[in-house]
Amino acid sequence: MEYVTGEMEGVLGAPIYGMYGVEDLLENYTTPDGVKITGMPAGLIGPPDTDQKSGFEWTGEWTVTYETFRDMGLAFMAALVLIYGLIVLEFRNYTLSALIMAPIPLTLIGIIPGHLIIGAQFTATSMIGFIAMAGIIVRNSILLVEFVKIEVEAGTPIREAAINAGRTRLRPILITSLTNIAGASTILSDPIFQGMAASVLFGTGFATLFTMLVIPLGCISARNISIHISSPSCRKKRQRRR
């Protein structure tokens, strides 16, 4: 067994770039025992199955990166489940709860280009910022959905209620979003927390914009679907099918 080590630096300093470079060099290489050697995908998460033939495993900084993102990914999924459960307990409605969480993936529309714009790598701190964005965006969504819900229960048409929600809640949502952006900008030049700053800064900006569009439109669509399903004609159709 032999160990081969290397150090990555510069713009492409993440280990994955060097790993792909080595894999490209090994594409047409055959070992003396007739094996077309590769470390992907099995070599990314563990050693070869056997030592009776040539093989290798990617370790070092890659192992730390893999375990970090794996654990954070599991933590993020657990957080989403818990957030969804709490929202369901609050609103007693599965559709509204899903709608409230819908803008969470939209943060990636800002986070990924944001890293490219400032030339930052997507690191563990970037993932932490992405997870933190889930709570921030859900809070904004709840503000809008709660207002729409109250207005509709008071007899306001759904379209007018959605417009009123956007108009009334826009100011507090913008104030909190701008506060997050201002706070994130202070650590934008930090070499360690630059990724977190990029996630919070660009994620907040784009997600706030999309939240103000997606949530009101989603409330209108959800209301229309609910009315259609509960309409007399739809109920008669279901009875005929039975």
Side-chain angles (χ1 to χ4, degrees), residues 178-190:
L178 290 174
T179 302
N180 290 329
I181 292 174
S185 63
T186 61
I187 58 173
L188 197 58
S189 59
D190 188 279

Side-chain angles (χ1 to χ4, degrees), residues 14 52 60 64 76 117 120-121 129 132 138 154-155 164 167 188 190 198 206 222 226 232 242:
Q52 301 302 313
V64 177
F76 182 58
I117 291 172
Q121 298 179 11
V138 164
N164 291 339
R167 183 187 301 115
L188 197 58
D190 188 279
F206 279 83
S226 176
R242 291 174 184 173

Side-chain angles (χ1 to χ4, degrees), residues 20-239:
Y20 273 115
V22 173
E23 291 288 344
D24 290 340
L25 294 174
L26 294 175
E27 183 176 0
N28 299 317
Y29 174 73
T30 302
T31 62
D33 57 349
V35 177
K36 287 190 174 181
I37 193 169
T38 178
M40 296 187 179
L44 295 175
I45 56 177
D49 296 330
T50 176
D51 58 358
Q52 301 302 313
K53 61 180 182 180
S54 298
F56 69 92
E57 172 191 8
W58 290 110
T59 59
E61 186 179 350
W62 162 252
T63 301
V64 177
T65 302
Y66 165 73
E67 292 178 350
T68 299
F69 279 90
R70 178 199 62 192
D71 295 343
M72 286 189 175
L74 293 174
F76 182 58
M77 288 188 287
L80 291 180
V81 172
L82 291 173
I83 291 173
Y84 183 75
L86 290 173
I87 297 174
V88 169
L89 289 175
E90 173 65 24
F91 288 92
R92 305 291 180 178
N93 189 303
Y94 294 103
T95 303
L96 279 181
S97 301
L99 175 63
I100 288 171
M101 297 184 66
I104 293 178
L106 299 178
T107 58
L108 291 174
I109 299 177
I111 291 175
I112 295 176
H115 280 74
L116 294 174
I117 291 172
I118 65 174
Q121 298 179 11
F122 194 89
T123 61
T125 60
S126 302
M127 192 66 179
I128 294 173
F130 177 48
I131 296 173
M133 286 301 304
I136 297 172
I137 298 307
V138 164
R139 177 201 60 200
N140 293 341
S141 300
I142 289 175
L143 287 175
L144 292 171
V145 171
E146 181 69 19
F147 189 94
V148 172
K149 186 172 179 289
I150 294 173
E151 288 282 293
V152 170
E153 290 176 350
T156 306
I158 183 62
R159 291 180 179 272
E160 184 178 345
I163 294 173
N164 291 339
R167 183 187 301 115
T168 305
R169 298 300 193 189
L170 177 61
R171 183 178 180 183
I173 288 176
L174 283 180
I175 290 174
T176 54
S177 298
L178 290 174
T179 302
N180 290 329
I181 292 174
S185 63
T186 61
I187 58 173
L188 197 58
S189 59
D190 188 279
I192 297 177
F193 294 103
Q194 187 181 46
M196 181 189 293
S199 294
V200 175
L201 194 155
F202 292 96
T204 299
F206 279 83
T208 300
L209 174 63
F210 283 110
T211 298
M212 298 302 298
L213 295 174
V214 170
I215 296 300
L217 293 176
C219 289
I220 295 173
S221 299
R223 179 68 173 179
N224 291 337
I225 293 173
S226 176
I227 292 174
H228 174 71
I229 292 175
S230 60
S231 64
S233 61
C234 190
R235 286 200 298 268
K236 290 180 180 178
K237 290 181 181 179
R238 288 203 300 269
Q239 291 173 357

